[in-house]
Amino acid sequence: MGAYEELMAFQRVTEALAQVSGRLGWDQETVMPRGAARQRGEEMAAMEEVLHARRTDPRIGDWLAAIDEAALDDTARANLRLIRRSWERATRVPAALATEIARVTSLAQGIWAEARREDDFARFAPTLETVVRLKREEAAALADGGDLYDALLEDYEPETSAAEIAALFDAMRPRLVALRERILGLERTPPALSGHFDEAGQMQLSREMAEAFGYDFSRGRIDKAVHPFSSGSGDDVRITTRTVTHDPFNCIYSTIHEVGHAAYEQNIAPEHHLTPVGRGVSMGVHESQSRSYENQLGRSRAFTGWLYGRMRALWGDFGVADADASYAIVNRVVPGFIRTEADEVHYNLHIFLRFDLERALIAGRLEVADLPEAWNARFREDFGVAVDRPSHGVLQDVHWSVGLFGYFPTYALGNVYAGCLMAALRRDVPDLDAHLARGDTRPATAWMAEHLQRFGGLRTPRETIRHATGAEPSEAPLLDYLEAKFGELYGL
Amino acid sequence: MGAYEELMAFQRVTEALAQVSGRLGWDQETVMPRGAARQRGEEMAAMEEVLHARRTDPRIGDWLAAIDEAALDDTARANLRLIRRSWERATRVPAALATEIARVTSLAQGIWAEARREDDFARFAPTLETVVRLKREEAAALADGGDLYDALLEDYEPETSAAEIAALFDAMRPRLVALRERILGLERTPPALSGHFDEAGQMQLSREMAEAFGYDFSRGRIDKAVHPFSSGSGDDVRITTRTVTHDPFNCIYSTIHEVGHAAYEQNIAPEHHLTPVGRGVSMGVHESQSRSYENQLGRSRAFTGWLYGRMRALWGDFGVADADASYAIVNRVVPGFIRTEADEVHYNLHIFLRFDLERALIAGRLEVADLPEAWNARFREDFGVAVDRPSHGVLQDVHWSVGLFGYFPTYALGNVYAGCLMAALRRDVPDLDAHLARGDTRPATAWMAEHLQRFGGLRTPRETIRHATGAEPSEAPLLDYLEAKFGELYGL
């Protein structure tokens, strides 16, 4: 065996162990007995110890040095690039710091949850200060003299920079603010749903939607969880959803969103399974899949028309007059404090706010003590209303408590990428709506599999989008789409 | 930290990883998507690689050499004894041989299943020859000049010997054969169940029975599986059961059996969790728990009376006239080819047959080619009938295909131990039947937890029984119990 083959054999075992660790997370959120929590913490820590030892194994350095890269094909070079990045990052962070971050963030999540419940930022502030300090230290170790925030961003969206993202977001913000102001200026109360929708029916519809979007049940399953997620790669990619009695759309669109993530992982070419290339390339590209499945496809007029028929068949008259009314309900634009409940028009504004604040925190331009005020001021500016309590503002997201700095921008990047992909898809499949109106997503999902999903991490995130669409990623298609869709819906 | 503390910290991570590996097995048999099988194989192999590396880690040898055993308390000495045995065994087997055994047995299971389906021993024979050869090699590496079979037995029932077990079984066989001949000589057709019992009702009863026997659902769960099993230790001990439409007793007694295993693991004192002492001490002692819960308690006249009432409440008149008839049904003695369907009178005879044959195979006194004939001859001798096809005889059990030589005798040992334990329990709790007749197993399960379960692997298997009962293990209590119970039931 050559050095490359030896490295890949070693890496394959690491990838398999990472799958096991991920499945343990799935188990915890779906089927684990509640009394097992403490023991599970030790089991997860044991897996992390093993994985960390493998990711920093000195033999990786020897293999990397011994490999003649010129002799490799594209796939091998991509694997090598991903392994090298992972190894360099893992070895740069001192073990004591990594352990301290793991320890602090595992406690911080509980403290954050309590502070949110009590609506008391002061209770969380000292912990958040520690997390920010540790993440700055980690960033400094990773950055090697470069930008601290960029170093953290690399974990979620490699090969971009905060400056690039800031330029993108700055270009988007005025048009989004303008769009929301035009809609809200109408002072129209959007229609809403009322009634009771049985859980069994919702779960049945959830399975139907998953099938409609090409989720492969022979290599996955749907369960219920408090916060829906997708988990796993290759031949074992599981999703979760939730049910809310008065709002079946919550279950339906949670499912479609997670199917977008899962389809990406399921459709990566089998020869990449259990290799670094065999996973979605970045959080942004991942989110482009979940968001385009959920929004551009799932909330389209054509698809919601078909969905309305399925809901009528299941629940009879459920208080919504026709398909148009249903379309209006799933696309209602309402100002709200909570990111996860935001509509397509507001969503990115939530992200921009978080991105700017977390960047300032990591750069040291903003102190944790000043964070609530900065949040509230910015919220008033972009959303036109005052935050009424911390749990509706700075305390609403779990991310910072668990040290996820650099993660938020990938949500908006995903929307931007989704905009690019859908423009290309609609160009290539002009009669897409005719298919969607019959509940047939295959032309869309097949296009996504063929042009993007099957390649996994073969290319960088930007190259992945460029390869799929034939163009440089840009915010224009997303903004055009939003203005057209909501302009038509609201008669602007 | 001293050498003992360092060793135990290392071992604790290994124990946690073993729990993870076990949970992966649970996942595979209950919730895994069928298309994930191949990938799961790689994930399991990766966990095995990690566990094997830890179990043979040279540092364990250094720690063992450095520890001053005289300074340790009983628990620490027990942990040390268990770690030393595991380490010595793991390091004695050459890595290449261990890998080869894992490879061959994983293939052999599929070949065995096919041969059983086709009722064709010849199809399995060459593979079984290879497995026997490899297990003999492994035994030779482990035995260090001692008896080959004893070396294999040690994995399942440590600190006993085949000679000891043979003496025990030889003492049991005449009385068991005599008992079955007296019963079958009556030529009475025992009553049987007929009808249809809905799955939801069976699963509800299954949960009720688990609760009745003290299973802690906050640290466990029940799912369905093709072959019921119990899995995990400490705070995450899960059981599975199955349902057969025409026979709810299958589900009920599978559940109670697995609750016996699970209660043992759940009731080990928390301070032993994630240590070597924190697991059931041997397969034999484990089986003493599952068998006594299932048979001596669950199939007692007192308990079946209460169970009959629960079944009437659930299913109304289900074709069984009264509690006496129900008691007769769950204790019907019928000759049969299949071990797993055997009644209490026949069960041990099945084990003796396997024990003698596998001992002869490992000793080289019996060739695989001659195995079916040896099986059939012995079966005719002990059961009085001729085996009609290989799937009813030599091909019925999975054990040999996966290399489990030395496992079978622990089933009968478990029955013997259960006999000892129940005699002591009935001595200490004279009014046990009054409790069981109300569905209250607490005096029994509390006695078992107090006298046996909480200690885990603190003592050797024999010492564990001796400590619980105050007497040397012997076959007499089991045989007395069987003769009394079935003598009364059949009016002998």
Side-chain angles (χ1 to χ4, degrees), chain A residues 262-299:
Chain A
Y264 188 7
E265 297 291 336
Q266 286 191 326
N267 291 334
I268 293 173
E271 67 260 32
H272 299 319
H273 286 182
L274 297 182
T275 73
V277 167
R279 284 177 269 125
V281 67
S282 72
M283 300 311 301
V285 176
H286 240 296
E287 200 71 7
S288 79
Q289 301 304 291
S290 57
R291 300 292 284 188
S292 61
Y293 277 51
E294 176 189 352
N295 291 331
Q296 278 91 343
L297 298 171
R299 292 185 206 267

mmCIF file of all heavy atoms in Angstrom, chain A residues 262-299:
data_model
loop_
_atom_site.group_PDB
_atom_site.id
_atom_site.type_symbol
_atom_site.label_atom_id
_atom_site.label_comp_id
_atom_site.label_asym_id
_atom_site.label_seq_id
_atom_site.Cartn_x
_atom_site.Cartn_y
_atom_site.Cartn_z
ATOM 1 N N ALA A 262 -31.093 15.502 4.189
ATOM 2 C CA ALA A 262 -30.875 14.054 4.106
ATOM 3 C C ALA A 262 -30.637 13.610 2.668
ATOM 4 O O ALA A 262 -29.789 12.741 2.409
ATOM 5 C CB ALA A 262 -32.063 13.310 4.698
ATOM 6 N N ALA A 263 -31.373 14.212 1.725
ATOM 7 C CA ALA A 263 -31.209 13.821 0.323
ATOM 8 C C ALA A 263 -29.784 14.129 -0.142
ATOM 9 O O ALA A 263 -29.181 13.363 -0.906
ATOM 10 C CB ALA A 263 -32.228 14.548 -0.545
ATOM 11 N N TYR A 264 -29.252 15.251 0.332
ATOM 12 C CA TYR A 264 -27.864 15.585 -0.010
ATOM 13 C C TYR A 264 -26.948 14.430 0.409
ATOM 14 O O TYR A 264 -26.160 13.903 -0.397
ATOM 15 C CB TYR A 264 -27.490 16.890 0.690
ATOM 16 C CG TYR A 264 -26.151 17.505 0.312
ATOM 17 C CD1 TYR A 264 -25.366 17.006 -0.731
ATOM 18 C CD2 TYR A 264 -25.666 18.625 0.998
ATOM 19 C CE1 TYR A 264 -24.143 17.598 -1.055
ATOM 20 C CE2 TYR A 264 -24.464 19.216 0.677
ATOM 21 C CZ TYR A 264 -23.695 18.694 -0.339
ATOM 22 O OH TYR A 264 -22.492 19.278 -0.659
ATOM 23 N N GLU A 265 -27.067 14.007 1.652
ATOM 24 C CA GLU A 265 -26.188 12.926 2.135
ATOM 25 C C GLU A 265 -26.492 11.592 1.442
ATOM 26 O O GLU A 265 -25.575 10.840 1.103
ATOM 27 C CB GLU A 265 -26.340 12.770 3.653
ATOM 28 C CG GLU A 265 -25.908 13.989 4.466
ATOM 29 C CD GLU A 265 -24.400 14.234 4.430
ATOM 30 O OE1 GLU A 265 -23.634 13.281 4.188
ATOM 31 O OE2 GLU A 265 -23.990 15.399 4.635
ATOM 32 N N GLN A 266 -27.775 11.310 1.244
ATOM 33 C CA GLN A 266 -28.126 10.014 0.624
ATOM 34 C C GLN A 266 -27.673 9.933 -0.828
ATOM 35 O O GLN A 266 -27.407 8.837 -1.333
ATOM 36 C CB GLN A 266 -29.647 9.796 0.690
ATOM 37 C CG GLN A 266 -30.159 9.437 2.068
ATOM 38 C CD GLN A 266 -31.613 8.966 2.051
ATOM 39 O OE1 GLN A 266 -32.425 9.430 1.252
ATOM 40 N NE2 GLN A 266 -31.951 8.054 2.954
ATOM 41 N N ASN A 267 -27.623 11.069 -1.503
ATOM 42 C CA ASN A 267 -27.353 11.032 -2.944
ATOM 43 C C ASN A 267 -25.889 11.207 -3.307
ATOM 44 O O ASN A 267 -25.538 11.248 -4.494
ATOM 45 C CB ASN A 267 -28.205 12.079 -3.660
ATOM 46 C CG ASN A 267 -29.681 11.698 -3.627
ATOM 47 O OD1 ASN A 267 -30.022 10.520 -3.529
ATOM 48 N ND2 ASN A 267 -30.564 12.688 -3.684
ATOM 49 N N ILE A 268 -25.035 11.344 -2.311
ATOM 50 C CA ILE A 268 -23.606 11.382 -2.617
ATOM 51 C C ILE A 268 -23.211 10.030 -3.217
ATOM 52 O O ILE A 268 -23.662 8.982 -2.754
ATOM 53 C CB ILE A 268 -22.784 11.709 -1.349
ATOM 54 C CG1 ILE A 268 -23.084 13.147 -0.900
ATOM 55 C CG2 ILE A 268 -21.296 11.515 -1.604
ATOM 56 C CD1 ILE A 268 -22.455 13.533 0.423
ATOM 57 N N ALA A 269 -22.404 10.055 -4.263
ATOM 58 C CA ALA A 269 -22.050 8.820 -4.980
ATOM 59 C C ALA A 269 -21.475 7.789 -4.015
ATOM 60 O O ALA A 269 -20.620 8.118 -3.182
ATOM 61 C CB ALA A 269 -21.048 9.133 -6.089
ATOM 62 N N PRO A 270 -21.941 6.534 -4.118
ATOM 63 C CA PRO A 270 -21.520 5.489 -3.169
ATOM 64 C C PRO A 270 -20.003 5.333 -3.059
ATOM 65 O O PRO A 270 -19.503 4.973 -1.990
ATOM 66 C CB PRO A 270 -22.163 4.217 -3.744
ATOM 67 C CG PRO A 270 -23.346 4.706 -4.502
ATOM 68 C CD PRO A 270 -22.968 6.049 -5.058
ATOM 69 N N GLU A 271 -19.276 5.602 -4.142
ATOM 70 C CA GLU A 271 -17.817 5.414 -4.034
ATOM 71 C C GLU A 271 -17.183 6.401 -3.050
ATOM 72 O O GLU A 271 -16.052 6.195 -2.625
ATOM 73 C CB GLU A 271 -17.129 5.521 -5.414
ATOM 74 C CG GLU A 271 -17.173 6.899 -6.049
ATOM 75 C CD GLU A 271 -18.277 7.008 -7.099
ATOM 76 O OE1 GLU A 271 -19.329 6.327 -6.918
ATOM 77 O OE2 GLU A 271 -18.094 7.755 -8.076
ATOM 78 N N HIS A 272 -17.903 7.440 -2.674
ATOM 79 C CA HIS A 272 -17.368 8.395 -1.698
ATOM 80 C C HIS A 272 -17.737 8.061 -0.250
ATOM 81 O O HIS A 272 -17.233 8.700 0.672
ATOM 82 C CB HIS A 272 -17.862 9.815 -2.010
ATOM 83 C CG HIS A 272 -17.446 10.334 -3.350
ATOM 84 N ND1 HIS A 272 -16.195 10.128 -3.875
ATOM 85 C CD2 HIS A 272 -18.133 11.059 -4.282
ATOM 86 C CE1 HIS A 272 -16.119 10.697 -5.070
ATOM 87 N NE2 HIS A 272 -17.283 11.266 -5.350
ATOM 88 N N HIS A 273 -18.637 7.085 -0.071
ATOM 89 C CA HIS A 273 -19.088 6.789 1.298
ATOM 90 C C HIS A 273 -17.909 6.482 2.216
ATOM 91 O O HIS A 273 -16.950 5.824 1.826
ATOM 92 C CB HIS A 273 -20.052 5.592 1.296
ATOM 93 C CG HIS A 273 -21.413 5.929 0.748
ATOM 94 N ND1 HIS A 273 -22.442 5.029 0.694
ATOM 95 C CD2 HIS A 273 -21.914 7.086 0.239
ATOM 96 C CE1 HIS A 273 -23.507 5.599 0.159
ATOM 97 N NE2 HIS A 273 -23.214 6.849 -0.130
ATOM 98 N N LEU A 274 -18.015 6.959 3.444
ATOM 99 C CA LEU A 274 -16.967 6.774 4.464
ATOM 100 C C LEU A 274 -15.595 7.310 4.024
ATOM 101 O O LEU A 274 -14.560 6.782 4.416
ATOM 102 C CB LEU A 274 -16.866 5.299 4.894
ATOM 103 C CG LEU A 274 -18.109 4.709 5.573
ATOM 104 C CD1 LEU A 274 -17.862 3.263 5.991
ATOM 105 C CD2 LEU A 274 -18.524 5.529 6.802
ATOM 106 N N THR A 275 -15.639 8.366 3.213
ATOM 107 C CA THR A 275 -14.419 9.149 2.934
ATOM 108 C C THR A 275 -14.772 10.607 3.224
ATOM 109 O O THR A 275 -15.955 10.961 3.297
ATOM 110 C CB THR A 275 -13.951 9.027 1.473
ATOM 111 O OG1 THR A 275 -14.860 9.778 0.632
ATOM 112 C CG2 THR A 275 -13.921 7.584 1.005
ATOM 113 N N PRO A 276 -13.766 11.485 3.353
ATOM 114 C CA PRO A 276 -14.066 12.897 3.630
ATOM 115 C C PRO A 276 -14.938 13.531 2.537
ATOM 116 O O PRO A 276 -15.773 14.377 2.837
ATOM 117 C CB PRO A 276 -12.674 13.542 3.684
ATOM 118 C CG PRO A 276 -11.780 12.436 4.130
ATOM 119 C CD PRO A 276 -12.322 11.197 3.471
ATOM 120 N N VAL A 277 -14.761 13.130 1.293
ATOM 121 C CA VAL A 277 -15.581 13.666 0.208
ATOM 122 C C VAL A 277 -17.037 13.201 0.354
ATOM 123 O O VAL A 277 -17.956 13.843 -0.165
ATOM 124 C CB VAL A 277 -14.997 13.249 -1.164
ATOM 125 C CG1 VAL A 277 -15.974 13.494 -2.305
ATOM 126 C CG2 VAL A 277 -13.684 13.994 -1.428
ATOM 127 N N GLY A 278 -17.262 12.131 1.085
ATOM 128 C CA GLY A 278 -18.587 11.535 1.187
ATOM 129 C C GLY A 278 -19.528 12.208 2.155
ATOM 130 O O GLY A 278 -20.449 11.567 2.656
ATOM 131 N N ARG A 279 -19.319 13.475 2.440
ATOM 132 C CA ARG A 279 -20.231 14.238 3.286
ATOM 133 C C ARG A 279 -20.537 15.569 2.611
ATOM 134 O O ARG A 279 -19.759 16.046 1.786
ATOM 135 C CB ARG A 279 -19.576 14.515 4.647
ATOM 136 C CG ARG A 279 -19.553 13.308 5.561
ATOM 137 C CD ARG A 279 -18.837 13.609 6.873
ATOM 138 N NE ARG A 279 -17.418 13.291 6.769
ATOM 139 C CZ ARG A 279 -16.421 14.134 7.019
ATOM 140 N NH1 ARG A 279 -16.670 15.384 7.372
ATOM 141 N NH2 ARG A 279 -15.164 13.753 6.891
ATOM 142 N N GLY A 280 -21.647 16.185 2.967
ATOM 143 C CA GLY A 280 -21.970 17.502 2.436
ATOM 144 C C GLY A 280 -20.797 18.445 2.658
ATOM 145 O O GLY A 280 -20.137 18.376 3.686
ATOM 146 N N VAL A 281 -20.535 19.326 1.696
ATOM 147 C CA VAL A 281 -19.273 20.068 1.691
ATOM 148 C C VAL A 281 -19.212 21.181 2.728
ATOM 149 O O VAL A 281 -18.132 21.509 3.217
ATOM 150 C CB VAL A 281 -18.979 20.631 0.282
ATOM 151 C CG1 VAL A 281 -19.993 21.715 -0.093
ATOM 152 C CG2 VAL A 281 -17.560 21.143 0.175
ATOM 153 N N SER A 282 -20.341 21.782 3.085
ATOM 154 C CA SER A 282 -20.339 22.870 4.065
ATOM 155 C C SER A 282 -21.749 23.048 4.593
ATOM 156 O O SER A 282 -22.722 22.549 4.019
ATOM 157 C CB SER A 282 -19.875 24.189 3.428
ATOM 158 O OG SER A 282 -20.891 24.691 2.560
ATOM 159 N N MET A 283 -21.858 23.792 5.690
ATOM 160 C CA MET A 283 -23.183 24.056 6.240
ATOM 161 C C MET A 283 -24.000 24.918 5.284
ATOM 162 O O MET A 283 -25.214 24.759 5.171
ATOM 163 C CB MET A 283 -23.073 24.760 7.594
ATOM 164 C CG MET A 283 -22.317 23.997 8.674
ATOM 165 S SD MET A 283 -22.847 22.275 8.850
ATOM 166 C CE MET A 283 -24.573 22.522 9.232
ATOM 167 N N GLY A 284 -23.339 25.835 4.597
ATOM 168 C CA GLY A 284 -24.054 26.709 3.669
ATOM 169 C C GLY A 284 -24.659 25.922 2.515
ATOM 170 O O GLY A 284 -25.833 26.093 2.172
ATOM 171 N N VAL A 285 -23.864 25.059 1.916
ATOM 172 C CA VAL A 285 -24.378 24.263 0.800
ATOM 173 C C VAL A 285 -25.454 23.293 1.317
ATOM 174 O O VAL A 285 -26.467 23.063 0.650
ATOM 175 C CB VAL A 285 -23.239 23.512 0.077
ATOM 176 C CG1 VAL A 285 -23.803 22.614 -1.008
ATOM 177 C CG2 VAL A 285 -22.262 24.522 -0.535
ATOM 178 N N HIS A 286 -25.238 22.749 2.515
ATOM 179 C CA HIS A 286 -26.266 21.885 3.103
ATOM 180 C C HIS A 286 -27.579 22.652 3.229
ATOM 181 O O HIS A 286 -28.655 22.154 2.872
ATOM 182 C CB HIS A 286 -25.829 21.381 4.480
ATOM 183 C CG HIS A 286 -25.755 19.886 4.550
ATOM 184 N ND1 HIS A 286 -26.872 19.097 4.402
ATOM 185 C CD2 HIS A 286 -24.716 19.042 4.725
ATOM 186 C CE1 HIS A 286 -26.509 17.822 4.488
ATOM 187 N NE2 HIS A 286 -25.203 17.759 4.688
ATOM 188 N N GLU A 287 -27.475 23.852 3.757
ATOM 189 C CA GLU A 287 -28.684 24.650 3.968
ATOM 190 C C GLU A 287 -29.317 25.035 2.622
ATOM 191 O O GLU A 287 -30.540 25.212 2.545
ATOM 192 C CB GLU A 287 -28.333 25.888 4.803
ATOM 193 C CG GLU A 287 -29.511 26.537 5.486
ATOM 194 C CD GLU A 287 -30.102 25.743 6.656
ATOM 195 O OE1 GLU A 287 -29.516 24.714 7.064
ATOM 196 O OE2 GLU A 287 -31.171 26.156 7.146
ATOM 197 N N SER A 288 -28.515 25.133 1.584
ATOM 198 C CA SER A 288 -29.099 25.430 0.253
ATOM 199 C C SER A 288 -30.040 24.310 -0.170
ATOM 200 O O SER A 288 -31.037 24.543 -0.862
ATOM 201 C CB SER A 288 -27.999 25.629 -0.794
ATOM 202 O OG SER A 288 -27.481 24.373 -1.234
ATOM 203 N N GLN A 289 -29.729 23.099 0.262
ATOM 204 C CA GLN A 289 -30.589 21.972 -0.080
ATOM 205 C C GLN A 289 -31.862 21.985 0.761
ATOM 206 O O GLN A 289 -32.975 21.891 0.252
ATOM 207 C CB GLN A 289 -29.827 20.650 0.115
ATOM 208 C CG GLN A 289 -28.569 20.553 -0.730
ATOM 209 C CD GLN A 289 -28.883 20.739 -2.208
ATOM 210 O OE1 GLN A 289 -29.510 19.907 -2.846
ATOM 211 N NE2 GLN A 289 -28.484 21.888 -2.745
ATOM 212 N N SER A 290 -31.712 22.118 2.063
ATOM 213 C CA SER A 290 -32.891 22.092 2.934
ATOM 214 C C SER A 290 -33.807 23.269 2.639
ATOM 215 O O SER A 290 -35.033 23.115 2.602
ATOM 216 C CB SER A 290 -32.465 22.094 4.407
ATOM 217 O OG SER A 290 -31.664 23.218 4.696
ATOM 218 N N ARG A 291 -33.227 24.453 2.413
ATOM 219 C CA ARG A 291 -34.052 25.642 2.178
ATOM 220 C C ARG A 291 -34.728 25.585 0.814
ATOM 221 O O ARG A 291 -35.872 25.990 0.668
ATOM 222 C CB ARG A 291 -33.214 26.922 2.296
ATOM 223 C CG ARG A 291 -32.557 27.125 3.638
ATOM 224 C CD ARG A 291 -33.522 27.409 4.763
ATOM 225 N NE ARG A 291 -34.037 28.777 4.719
ATOM 226 C CZ ARG A 291 -34.780 29.313 5.672
ATOM 227 N NH1 ARG A 291 -35.112 28.589 6.739
ATOM 228 N NH2 ARG A 291 -35.222 30.533 5.574
ATOM 229 N N SER A 292 -34.035 25.109 -0.209
ATOM 230 C CA SER A 292 -34.686 25.070 -1.530
ATOM 231 C C SER A 292 -35.780 24.008 -1.547
ATOM 232 O O SER A 292 -36.836 24.211 -2.142
ATOM 233 C CB SER A 292 -33.665 24.832 -2.649
ATOM 234 O OG SER A 292 -33.005 23.600 -2.480
ATOM 235 N N TYR A 293 -35.549 22.866 -0.873
ATOM 236 C CA TYR A 293 -36.613 21.865 -0.785
ATOM 237 C C TYR A 293 -37.811 22.457 -0.049
ATOM 238 O O TYR A 293 -38.950 22.324 -0.480
ATOM 239 C CB TYR A 293 -36.126 20.610 -0.050
ATOM 240 C CG TYR A 293 -35.357 19.611 -0.897
ATOM 241 C CD1 TYR A 293 -34.283 20.001 -1.694
ATOM 242 C CD2 TYR A 293 -35.692 18.261 -0.892
ATOM 243 C CE1 TYR A 293 -33.571 19.081 -2.452
ATOM 244 C CE2 TYR A 293 -34.988 17.328 -1.652
ATOM 245 C CZ TYR A 293 -33.922 17.745 -2.423
ATOM 246 O OH TYR A 293 -33.231 16.829 -3.171
ATOM 247 N N GLU A 294 -37.531 23.099 1.096
ATOM 248 C CA GLU A 294 -38.615 23.610 1.925
ATOM 249 C C GLU A 294 -39.321 24.806 1.266
ATOM 250 O O GLU A 294 -40.558 24.812 1.172
ATOM 251 C CB GLU A 294 -38.068 24.045 3.289
ATOM 252 C CG GLU A 294 -39.137 24.678 4.182
ATOM 253 C CD GLU A 294 -38.568 25.313 5.455
ATOM 254 O OE1 GLU A 294 -37.365 25.147 5.730
ATOM 255 O OE2 GLU A 294 -39.333 25.996 6.154
ATOM 256 N N ASN A 295 -38.552 25.785 0.843
ATOM 257 C CA ASN A 295 -39.152 27.046 0.415
ATOM 258 C C ASN A 295 -39.402 27.141 -1.093
ATOM 259 O O ASN A 295 -40.545 27.198 -1.528
ATOM 260 C CB ASN A 295 -38.271 28.209 0.856
ATOM 261 C CG ASN A 295 -38.286 28.369 2.369
ATOM 262 O OD1 ASN A 295 -39.275 28.037 3.015
ATOM 263 N ND2 ASN A 295 -37.190 28.849 2.932
ATOM 264 N N GLN A 296 -38.313 27.164 -1.868
ATOM 265 C CA GLN A 296 -38.498 27.392 -3.306
ATOM 266 C C GLN A 296 -39.364 26.313 -3.943
ATOM 267 O O GLN A 296 -40.138 26.603 -4.845
ATOM 268 C CB GLN A 296 -37.143 27.493 -4.016
ATOM 269 C CG GLN A 296 -36.499 28.875 -3.916
ATOM 270 C CD GLN A 296 -35.582 29.005 -2.706
ATOM 271 O OE1 GLN A 296 -35.641 28.211 -1.758
ATOM 272 N NE2 GLN A 296 -34.725 30.027 -2.744
ATOM 273 N N LEU A 297 -39.221 25.070 -3.474
ATOM 274 C CA LEU A 297 -40.071 24.000 -4.006
ATOM 275 C C LEU A 297 -41.327 23.834 -3.144
ATOM 276 O O LEU A 297 -42.451 23.937 -3.626
ATOM 277 C CB LEU A 297 -39.301 22.678 -4.063
ATOM 278 C CG LEU A 297 -38.068 22.653 -4.978
ATOM 279 C CD1 LEU A 297 -37.276 21.362 -4.776
ATOM 280 C CD2 LEU A 297 -38.470 22.801 -6.448
ATOM 281 N N GLY A 298 -41.122 23.586 -1.845
ATOM 282 C CA GLY A 298 -42.232 23.201 -0.973
ATOM 283 C C GLY A 298 -43.257 24.291 -0.751
ATOM 284 O O GLY A 298 -44.447 24.003 -0.554
ATOM 285 N N ARG A 299 -42.822 25.534 -0.734
ATOM 286 C CA ARG A 299 -43.770 26.636 -0.531
ATOM 287 C C ARG A 299 -44.120 27.333 -1.846
ATOM 288 O O ARG A 299 -44.606 28.466 -1.842
ATOM 289 C CB ARG A 299 -43.197 27.661 0.459
ATOM 290 C CG ARG A 299 -43.070 27.139 1.880
ATOM 291 C CD ARG A 299 -42.620 28.240 2.849
ATOM 292 N NE ARG A 299 -41.936 27.690 4.006
ATOM 293 C CZ ARG A 299 -42.531 27.382 5.167
ATOM 294 N NH1 ARG A 299 -43.824 27.576 5.308
ATOM 295 N NH2 ARG A 299 -41.834 26.892 6.162
#
